[in-house]
Amino acid sequence: MIQLSNITKVYKTKNGDLTAVRDVNLTINQGEIFGIIGYSGAGKSTMIRLLNGLEKPTTGEVIVNGEDIAHTSGASLRQARQKISMIFQHFNLLWSRTVEENIAFPLEIAGVSKSERASRVQELVELVGLNGREKAYPSQLSGGQKQRVGIARALANNPEVLLCDEATSALDPETTDAILELLLNINKKLGLTIVLITHEMHVIRKICHRVAVMEAGQVVEQGKVLDIFQNP
Ligand code: ADP
Ligand code: ADP
């Protein structure tokens, strides 16, 4: 479970203080697909950086699996962050490495043996539907295939939370749907908690259970997607 309590984030800028997130309270349940939607500048990226521990809130608590990552540092922060994984709008793949090398990368860093890496990579390749493309380089893949590599890499170390940062914003509508379908399957199969930020209503409607709507740093509405974005 993820719990944000009374979160405010103020950036010091040369033009003075800028409040990017103000008084946010959110609870995201284990195994849930939770969406955060808002226009550019609403505070979504700041929320993601608070959730993955890259940024500390000015006030408030960020509880992830029982640990307040806002008030943790060093080894225990690193340990908490190992349970949190991320996928990106522009995939952030290593361009000089193949599909299987990209997926194996976090396993290598974690010190997993070569033979164990190989079998884990094969499992992940199958999970995301990239069979036959193991030896390809990112430049030889379509956008959707690149995001499949991103997803496989993100899942390599069995995270409990997957953060999706505009993960379908660079994809065409059909590919977007296929990637959302994959995320939905992974959520069901692995019971993984998924938090996604987006500016696209379609993404929220298609896979999220609950949603928070952000405007100018505040959550102005939250609840079940069907209640908040009811068709008239
Ligand atoms: P979104 O992801 O919804 O576009 P952001 O979280 O990126 O929103 O930005 C929210 C507000 O905080 C914006 O006004 C933005 O300019 C400001 N902001 C974001 N990051 C920083 C930063 N590192 N330093 C100063 N201001 C920032
Ligand atoms: P796509 O067209 O699939 O979005 P891009 O070529 O635009 O892929 O690259 C996506 C991201 O990867 C960009 O942020 C870009 O800076 C980075 N990138 C592209 N090529 C390389 C490379 N050879 N090495 C490192 N990063 C790269």
Side-chain angles (χ1 to χ4, degrees):
M1 195 182 72
I2 299 171
Q3 197 153 21
L4 302 185
S5 305
N6 306 314
I7 293 294
T8 292
K9 176 67 188 182
V10 179
Y11 290 111
K12 305 270 174 214
T13 75
K14 56 180 191 298
N15 302 317
D17 286 358
L18 192 153
T19 304
V21 171
R22 189 190 299 271
D23 289 331
V24 166
N25 290 284
L26 278 186
T27 302
I28 301 170
N29 300 313
Q30 187 88 42
E32 180 171 42
I33 306 184
F34 192 95
I36 299 175
I37 189 167
Y39 296 117
S40 175
K44 305 182 298 298
S45 308
T46 302
M47 289 285 284
I48 282 257
R49 291 198 298 270
L50 292 167
L51 283 169
N52 69 15
L54 271 182
E55 196 101 66
K56 301 280 190 202
T58 308
T59 62
E61 294 180 343
V62 183
I63 313 282
V64 181
N65 302 320
E67 178 117 36
D68 181 4
I69 62 168
H71 298 94
T72 311
S73 55
S76 49
L77 178 61
R78 278 197 298 279
Q79 200 172 3
R81 294 191 62 201
Q82 278 169 7
K83 296 284 165 205
I84 306 166
S85 215
M86 198 151 159
I87 59 172
F88 308 90
Q89 178 171 6
H90 294 296
F91 322 118
N92 296 14
L93 303 180
L94 297 166
W95 295 79
S96 58
R97 297 193 180 213
T98 63
V99 165
E100 60 187 9
E101 288 165 350
N102 268 279
I103 299 172
F105 193 62
L107 296 167
E108 240 178 285
I109 291 175
V112 174
S113 72
K114 198 171 176 185
S115 64
E116 212 175 310
R117 285 204 304 265
S119 68
R120 180 77 184 125
V121 166
Q122 204 47 50
E123 260 173 49
L124 290 158
V125 160
E126 271 162 39
L127 180 69
V128 301
L130 281 173
N131 312 58
R133 304 298 281 150
E134 293 87 340
K135 308 281 180 208
Y137 285 88
S139 61
Q140 299 170 305
L141 302 176
S142 68
Q145 288 173 330
K146 282 180 216 166
Q147 194 57 288
R148 285 172 195 271
V149 178
I151 292 169
R153 180 184 56 183
L155 297 178
N157 282 316
N158 288 312
E160 289 172 23
V161 179
L162 179 65
L163 303 175
C164 308
D165 186 356
E166 297 280 4
T168 55
S169 299
L171 305 175
D172 62 55
E174 251 171 62
T175 310
T176 291
D177 280 353
I179 292 295
L180 293 177
E181 205 67 54
L182 175 62
L183 289 174
L184 196 54
N185 285 338
I186 287 168
N187 166 262
K188 284 194 187 133
K189 204 181 237 173
L190 307 180
L192 183 75
T193 306
I194 299 182
V195 182
L196 53 90
I197 68 168
T198 182
H199 62 277
E200 296 173 300
M201 183 79 84
H202 168 76
V203 170
I204 300 285
R205 277 187 200 271
K206 185 150 169 113
I207 67 164
C208 291
H209 305 131
R210 290 193 307 133
V211 61
V213 182
M214 288 193 76
E215 270 175 33
Q218 290 186 288
V219 171
V220 293
E221 236 177 319
Q222 62 173 307
K224 289 195 178 132
V225 172
L226 288 176
D227 293 339
I228 293 189
F229 298 127
Q230 231 166 3
N231 282 313

